Amino acid sequence: MTVTSPAAKVGERPVEVIDREGMVVRFCGDSGDGMQLAGTQMTNTSAAFGNDVSTLPDFPAEIRAPAGSLAGVSGFQLNFSSNPLQTPGDEVNALIAMNPAALKANLEDLEEGGILIVNEDAFTKQNLAKAKYEENPLENDSLKSYRLFKVPVDKLNLEATKDTGLSGRAASRCRNFFALGLTYWLFGRPLDSTLKWITDKFGTKPAVADANAKALKAGYNFGDTTEMFGAKYYIPKAKLKSGTYRKLSGNQATALGLIAAAKLANQPLFYASYPITPASDILHELSRHKNYKVRTFQAEDEISAMTAIIGASFAGNMAVTGTSGPGVALKSEGLGLAVMAELPMVIVNVQRGGPSTGLPTKTEQADLNQAILGRNGEAPMCVLAAATPADCFDMALEAFRIAVEYMTPVLLLTDGYLANGSEPWRIPASNELPAIKINHPKAGDEFRPYERDEKLSRPWAVPGTPGLQHRIGGLEKKEVTGEVCYESENHQRMIDLRRKKIQGIVKTIPLVEVYGDQTDDLLVLGWGSTYGAITSAVDRCRAKGMKVSSAHLRYLDPMPGNLGDVLKSFKKVLIPEMNCGQLLHRIRSTYLIDAEGFHKVQGKPFMISEIEAKIRETLEGGL
Amino acid sequence: MSVKSQDTPLTAKDFGSDQEVRWCPGCGDYAILSAVKKALPETGATLENTVFVSGIGCSSRFPYYMGTYGLHGIHGRAMAIATGVKLANPELQVWVVTGDGDGFSIGGNHMLHAIRRNVDINILLFNNEIYGLTKGQYSPTSPKGQRTKSSPYGSIDYPIHPISVAIGAEASFVARTVDRNLKHMGEVLKRAAEHKGTSFVEIYQNCPIFNDGAFSYATEKETKDDTTVYLEHNKPLVFGPDNARKGIRLNGLDPEVVDLGDGVREDDLLFHDEAAEQPSLAYLLSRMHHPQFPEPIGVFRAVDRPTYDAMLFEQERQAFEKQGEGTLEKLFDDGETWTVTEEEAHS
């Protein structure tokens, strides 16, 4: 379109620069090829450049599946745009494939006419066989509907890194930086932030740093000098609210939210966890922050992590455990004890594909029933769900706010898609953060362990306080005094009180907001990570004149007080979920409305287009 | 809820609660409760800084009968709960009360890991070799062949030996005492309380209802001198009635029982060393079982090893020293931030 865009640098080959609103780029290769790293660097650079970004890492459960195999393909998708983004994008506009298996596994997501950069050196007979290609797709016309660029990445990378003193094998590992450099040229990205990262990361290994930097520059220069590429692309800055931003993944956001909650409460944070995909990064992040009085305890198993936080909460810490669905299954008896003991704590479930071990690295939201109902006896617990990666920060804070205000365990649901995906986060000023008030009874205070305040919360008296010694546990408690009590009427009262307390949380949570019109033909109701896809789909449909609005639940139990009224203001309600209808059944049974479900349980998030099509179908189906 | 002034020394009675004790008449747990209440004030413990944690089982009702803070947990998890309590507030003196089923069957994993971490907690294992609260099934410490409700033809489970397991899990303090010897129990409890690190104490405890007399060989006047040997640091292993003193001598790597006199002097016997760097001697002692050997009573092993909690808080201290106290501003700034100005936002 124009050659004057700021992306063209002085001294570079004059080339057509095409302005685009946004681009969806996906890097894919072997799980050892460094695709996650390349994607992350591209994300950081684009975010710092001023684009809105949204990412979708997609990697196999095997750490290193056999090289070149389909099982070992790892991908990283980045959507960067000059407009606000809600999702990592449906269709890929540019695919960088490092080998035949990566090409085969990812090609179906590339738009027709999309940019396809392949590492042609990897298309050997052996690799083609591993990817189950009978013919080399680069040599027939099977890729003719794409803009194919065959780049000898391996050769060029080795050439670029030959004087660094690295062995051929070590040098070949820099090829992701070569591919990244080329991508930077194509999208007019500056190299500085990645060059700085390389220096910081490999500071103690100058040869490795040198080789990676050379590979990156060589990739960039290749784009510039070869005439293979007739044009490059320019994606202007996005208009974000003013402020200071950083990029944040869901798991990082959860970790920061937990630390912030403890800091605001002026208490130590105790995080006990057993490593599990996709929750382990929360443990990694938290274990770095000892100077915030963050105490991480890598427990021997999920049950230990759960019960250790019960002990830590009893002793007065802000206690939290993080896990995924199979871990919550193991923790469920402990959750029951937490309900009975009425102690504040947070349990984070980074949901993944289930049942059982399921799809450990893939996303799903099929643990809602488990979160709300998955305990023996009548054991109500507050359940929250984050909507976007950055929202994990707010919901982690909110989880602790509710836990300490209501003396209850709070279960926070996120998922693999939120956990690993990232987006820009506007860093909040301290006065934008909520207050988290802790009120431990003091020596000399009138104290009865199960005497309740106006919120039906019991006092949180902690060991070390003279005169307030008391005993709690899993046996039914006598009202007010907290002694063990087997009386039938007391049990009924305590069951009712515990439920009423949780239901009462509704008074301190925000009402659900309708996005669109307050009354309309169709309401699309979502929860958790489907927020982006639903909102974008509703935007597109409304732009086409369809009478559709959306609402999103971040509070699952209790649900917002106005939800019933909102639902009844619409002729139809559609509930898309990455499960077989868990929220759907809850909505139908709670509000007695004939809501319709839309289910996708493939280990992948909804695409905007899928929801858009379903909205159209639902509206066309008659009201 | 009266608070005693600091000048008035606390007594055993102060450590009790107002709850009615509901163990069966004659249960060994009564003696242990009484010994614990008596020992605690002698260790300088205060009511407010002491926490009793338990799992599930007869023994696990223990916290309700103490006037301290208490947490009656779920089956097998007391060691993990106690770890959480101690790491949340290292000033607290934390006790775990568990049984052979709670601590070595359903809670076996937590037992191993609490011990290996050397968290500064005190674990009291009430071993009665039976499931009492569920009314009489064999436990992981029941002898092979024991007939119980769930093993009418005799148990075909090989028993686990708690002291051997504790030593195998790198315990820094291991002791055994018996419910019928209040004085010895009191001494062992005090040693356990004073030890920094996980203290593991096995207490032979009689269940008069479902396994009466399981340890009578070790507690009855007629037999106990011959069936038990009291361990004393740097002293030879000598046992038996005054008129027929016997000892334990090493024959190669194996212990053997020998009569004293007739050319066998105390110097020829095995000398106990609870502070030995290697746990082999403690382990060898833990393998001495009735009726082949007298069973050792006392402190098997007591060594200094940095505790998990001390190391955790040392790392925290160092982090504060090096990085200063963390602020939210520092936390949020990952070094890769960018700023959108008012101008850019509205352009």
Side-chain angles (χ1 to χ4, degrees):
Chain A
M1 239 156 51
T2 132
V3 240
T4 54
S5 273
K9 285 188 191 164
V10 179
E12 285 190 8
R13 174 169 68 94
V15 62
E16 185 190 8
V17 176
I18 302 173
D19 284 325
R20 287 278 293 252
E21 235 177 59
M23 265 286 183
V24 178
V25 177
R26 187 187 292 175
F27 294 89
C28 55
D30 253 339
S31 50
D33 271 345
M35 294 295 96
Q36 303 301 321
L37 177 56
T40 306
Q41 283 302 314
M42 176 85 180
T43 308
N44 293 353
T45 293
S46 300
F49 176 77
N51 296 129
D52 197 357
V53 295
S54 176
T55 68
L56 175 66
D58 180 30
F59 40 83
E62 292 75 16
I63 302 299
R64 294 276 189 277
S69 71
L70 287 161
V73 174
S74 168
F76 189 104
Q77 183 169 319
L78 162 66
N79 191 358
F80 57 108
S81 176
S82 54
N83 284 328
L85 288 175
Q86 314 283 6
T87 78
D90 282 7
E91 276 191 322
V92 174
N93 308 124
L95 183 71
I96 296 97
M98 299 299 280
N99 67 15
L103 176 66
K104 188 158 201 178
N106 290 282
L107 190 62
E108 61 170 357
D109 297 330
L110 181 62
E111 67 173 349
E112 209 176 308
I115 299 167
L116 175 59
I117 300 172
V118 294
N119 171 16
E120 68 174 348
D121 293 336
F123 282 66
T124 61
K125 219 173 189 173
Q126 209 185 8
N127 281 345
L128 287 164
K130 279 187 203 161
K132 307 206 162 41
Y133 271 119
E134 284 173 13
E135 280 184 65
N136 187 344
L138 306 185
E139 284 165 8
N140 57 29
D141 54 4
S142 62
L143 301 173
K144 68 171 190 288
S145 55
Y146 308 103
R147 289 160 58 208
L148 175 65
F149 301 100
K150 294 185 271 186
V151 181
V153 173
D154 288 347
K155 247 182 246 125
L156 294 170
N157 172 59
L158 283 180
E159 183 63 26
T161 54
K162 69 176 182 208
D163 295 331
T164 57
L166 288 193
S167 70
R169 196 180 155 80
S172 76
R173 291 210 191 102
C174 302
R175 63 173 161 240
N176 56 337
F177 278 100
F178 184 93
L180 182 64
L182 176 54
T183 316
Y184 278 3
W185 176 82
L186 193 58
F187 298 110
R189 312 274 100 173
L191 300 181
D192 3 344
S193 135
T194 297
L195 287 172
K196 180 177 180 300
W197 181 88
I198 290 172
T199 316
D200 293 348
K201 173 81 181 175
F202 302 110
T204 55
K205 296 174 190 161
V208 177
D210 186 31
N212 279 311
K214 281 187 165 139
L216 182 75
K217 288 177 190 162
Y220 190 95
N221 293 336
F222 177 77
D224 187 36
T225 48
T226 177
E227 300 206 342
M228 188 184 275
F229 298 92
K232 57 196 293 186
Y233 296 85
Y234 177 66
I235 290 91
K237 291 180 181 191
K239 280 178 192 152
L240 296 168
K241 200 175 158 190
S242 67
T244 301
Y245 285 79
R246 65 172 281 189
K247 189 195 67 161
L248 198 60
S249 75
N251 273 345
Q252 281 176 327
T254 302
L256 295 194
L258 296 171
I259 299 175
K263 195 80 188 159
L264 291 166
N266 199 20
Q267 301 286 329
L269 181 74
F270 181 80
Y271 184 81
S273 184
Y274 185 72
I276 186 169
T277 303
S280 302
D281 280 343
I282 302 176
L283 173 63
H284 305 160
E285 180 70 28
L286 289 175
S287 59
R288 298 170 47 224
H289 298 289
K290 287 184 183 289
N291 62 327
Y292 289 79
K293 288 199 181 172
V294 175
R295 294 148 194 181
T296 54
F297 172 56
Q298 183 174 313
E300 61 272 20
D301 59 32
E302 295 282 357
I303 301 172
S304 168
M306 179 64 223
T307 47
I309 71 163
I310 293 174
S313 171
F314 181 63
N317 277 193
M318 301 285 273
V320 55
T321 182
T323 185
S324 189
V328 175
L330 284 162
K331 292 180 194 298
S332 60
E333 193 194 7
L335 290 169
L337 174 62
V339 168
M340 201 66 156
E342 300 190 47
L343 286 169
M345 65 196 80
V346 173
I347 299 90
V348 181
N349 176 357
V350 186
Q351 297 167 96
R352 65 189 215 185
S356 185
T357 310
L359 302 172
T361 60
K362 309 293 176 190
T363 197
E364 205 160 282
Q365 45 178 191
D367 297 345
L368 180 62
N369 283 344
Q370 181 196 43
I372 295 175
L373 306 168
R375 291 164 291 282
N376 63 304
E378 293 288 346
M381 185 182 291
C382 179
V383 178
L384 311 178
T388 71
D391 189 42
C392 293
F393 175 85
D394 294 329
M395 291 318 271
L397 268 173
E398 182 66 346
F400 258 131
R401 196 254 324 151
I402 293 171
V404 298
E405 232 173 272
Y406 287 88
M407 290 293 282
T408 178
V410 175
L411 208 152
L412 171 60
L413 294 169
T414 71
D415 63 29
Y417 172 55
L418 296 179
N420 294 319
S422 50
E423 61 180 352
W425 177 58
R426 196 177 68 85
I427 297 176
S430 52
N431 61 5
E432 292 174 294
L433 297 172
I436 294 188
K437 289 191 200 91
I438 307 287
N439 184 19
H440 296 306
K442 292 177 196 67
D445 284 0
E446 192 66 33
F447 168 70
R448 286 182 291 185
Y450 278 74
E451 190 161 46
R452 294 169 193 280
D453 65 10
E454 69 289 350
K455 287 179 173 162
L456 302 179
S457 291
R458 70 178 199 87
W460 187 11
V462 299
T465 318
L468 305 192
Q469 296 87 253
H470 62 287
R471 277 66 57 188
I472 58 171
L475 286 169
E476 183 58 285
K477 299 282 164 286
K478 196 173 168 68
E479 211 182 331
V480 183
T481 64
E483 287 158 12
V484 173
C485 179
Y486 301 114
E487 289 164 22
S488 53
E489 297 204 342
N490 177 75
H491 181 52
Q492 176 83 59
R493 277 199 304 277
M494 291 297 276
I495 290 278
D496 295 343
L497 276 168
R498 285 189 288 261
R499 183 158 296 279
K500 222 171 137 190
K501 178 175 85 167
I502 299 305
Q503 286 167 348
I505 295 170
V506 76
K507 291 177 209 144
T508 64
I509 65 174
L511 298 175
V512 68
E513 285 175 29
V514 176
Y515 179 72
D517 291 310
Q518 295 303 315
T519 173
D520 223 332
D521 284 350
L522 177 64
L523 179 77
V524 186
L525 179 69
W527 70 278
S529 71
T530 53
Y531 172 78
I534 290 176
T535 314
S536 305
V538 166
D539 270 342
R540 285 188 196 174
C541 291
R542 288 177 67 85
K544 290 171 189 161
M546 288 184 236
K547 296 190 157 194
V548 57
S549 302
S550 63
H552 205 76
L553 294 179
R554 293 150 85 224
Y555 299 82
L556 277 309
D557 199 8
M559 294 190 278
N562 64 332
L563 183 58
D565 291 340
V566 165
L567 294 171
K568 283 165 188 160
S569 311
F570 289 83
K571 290 182 189 154
K572 266 195 171 181
V573 175
L574 174 69
I575 305 182
E577 293 179 86
M578 293 188 284
N579 62 46
C580 296
Q582 299 188 8
L583 177 65
L584 174 72
H585 293 302
R586 197 163 165 73
I587 293 292
R588 289 175 69 107
S589 62
T590 309
Y591 300 103
L592 303 178
I593 60 157
D594 189 17
E596 200 179 307
F598 179 38
H599 315 133
K600 175 177 179 179
V601 202
Q602 299 172 1
K604 286 198 245 184
F606 278 105
M607 291 203 288
I608 302 167
S609 56
E610 290 169 331
I611 295 179
E612 192 184 348
K614 185 70 188 177
I615 292 172
R616 180 176 289 118
E617 183 195 310
T618 310
L619 286 170
E620 281 168 2
L623 299 165
Chain B
M1 298 280 169
S2 65
V3 187
K4 275 208 173 189
S5 86
Q6 296 207 326
D7 316 326
T8 328
L10 293 166
T11 64
K13 194 160 170 279
D14 293 317
F15 275 86
S17 79
D18 56 358
Q19 299 295 299
E20 180 196 354
V21 183
R22 295 193 187 174
W23 288 311
C24 306
C27 178
D29 290 0
Y30 284 95
I32 306 173
L33 177 62
S34 153
V36 169
K37 287 198 288 197
K38 187 166 178 296
L40 279 177
E42 293 171 24
T43 67
T46 61
L47 293 172
E48 67 270 17
N49 280 334
T50 307
V51 182
F52 275 82
V53 180
S54 64
I56 296 292
C58 293
S59 61
S60 290
R61 297 299 176 91
F62 201 96
Y64 292 118
Y65 307 139
M66 296 297 296
T68 64
Y69 283 90
L71 219 172
H72 178 207
I74 47 177
H75 209 5
R77 319 301 169 204
M79 288 66 70
I81 296 173
T83 300
V85 172
K86 184 70 184 181
L87 301 185
N89 182 356
E91 302 299 313
L92 301 171
Q93 189 185 104
V94 182
W95 295 80
V96 167
V97 176
T98 183
D100 36 316
D102 190 59
F104 277 88
S105 194
I106 192 166
N109 196 34
H110 309 306
M111 181 67 83
L112 292 182
H113 293 281
I115 291 175
R116 91 173 152 85
R117 287 192 190 102
N118 205 30
V119 186
D120 188 17
I121 58 177
N122 310 306
I123 301 173
L124 305 182
L125 173 78
F126 294 17
N127 185 3
N128 57 14
E129 300 187 347
I130 197 78
Y131 282 107
L133 196 66
T134 51
K135 300 190 170 68
Q137 300 81 14
Y138 62 95
S139 90
T141 57
S142 299
K144 188 166 157 290
Q146 177 147 334
R147 289 175 194 275
T148 70
K149 277 189 188 160
S150 58
S151 58
Y153 297 99
S155 161
I156 51 172
D157 275 28
Y158 292 103
I160 204 165
H161 300 293
I163 299 236
S164 298
V165 174
I167 293 166
E170 310 293 337
S172 60
F173 182 93
V174 187
R176 177 188 283 148
T177 185
V178 288
D179 58 2
R180 293 279 293 275
N181 189 342
L182 277 175
K183 184 164 176 286
H184 185 263
M185 189 160 33
E187 292 309 313
V188 166
L189 291 171
K190 277 185 271 179
R191 289 277 317 266
E194 281 154 15
H195 177 74
K196 291 277 166 228
T198 305
S199 304
F200 178 82
V201 181
E202 179 187 37
I203 307 173
Y204 284 171
Q205 175 247 323
N206 191 42
C207 172
I209 308 298
F210 296 109
N211 201 16
D212 195 21
F215 301 107
S216 58
Y217 62 89
T219 57
E220 297 312 305
K221 211 173 167 185
E222 302 75 48
T223 52
K224 66 178 185 186
D225 286 347
D226 276 322
T227 58
T228 56
V229 52
Y230 278 77
L231 301 174
E232 287 182 82
H233 186 49
N234 284 335
K235 299 248 175 91
L237 272 71
V238 178
F239 66 105
D242 288 343
N243 56 359
R245 297 295 279 166
K246 286 180 261 196
I248 301 294
R249 186 173 66 183
L250 266 194
N251 180 4
L253 289 173
D254 298 318
E256 61 180 4
V257 175
V258 290
D259 292 322
L260 278 175
D262 275 346
V264 181
R265 297 173 309 130
E266 285 198 353
D267 280 354
D268 300 329
L269 299 179
L270 177 59
F271 275 64
H272 184 45
D273 179 6
E274 62 182 34
E277 198 181 320
Q278 287 300 319
S280 358
L281 170 63
Y283 186 76
L284 176 141
L285 295 172
S286 80
R287 304 302 296 172
M288 287 169 45
H289 298 300
H290 178 72
Q292 291 80 7
F293 289 99
E295 293 190 340
I297 308 288
V299 177
F300 286 63
R301 182 159 172 77
V303 292
D304 281 333
R305 192 149 66 86
T307 67
Y308 184 94
D309 33 301
M311 292 188 286
L312 177 77
F313 289 102
E314 175 56 19
Q315 285 189 346
E316 184 171 297
R317 194 192 61 74
Q318 284 179 8
F320 269 80
E321 197 177 279
K322 279 190 197 134
Q323 299 157 41
E325 185 174 348
T327 63
L328 290 181
E329 289 70 30
K330 278 192 263 177
L331 178 71
F332 296 159
D333 183 354
D334 65 345
E336 296 193 41
T337 61
W338 68 95
T339 303
V340 176
T341 62
E342 285 289 335
E343 217 166 86
E344 286 168 318
H346 296 107
S347 65

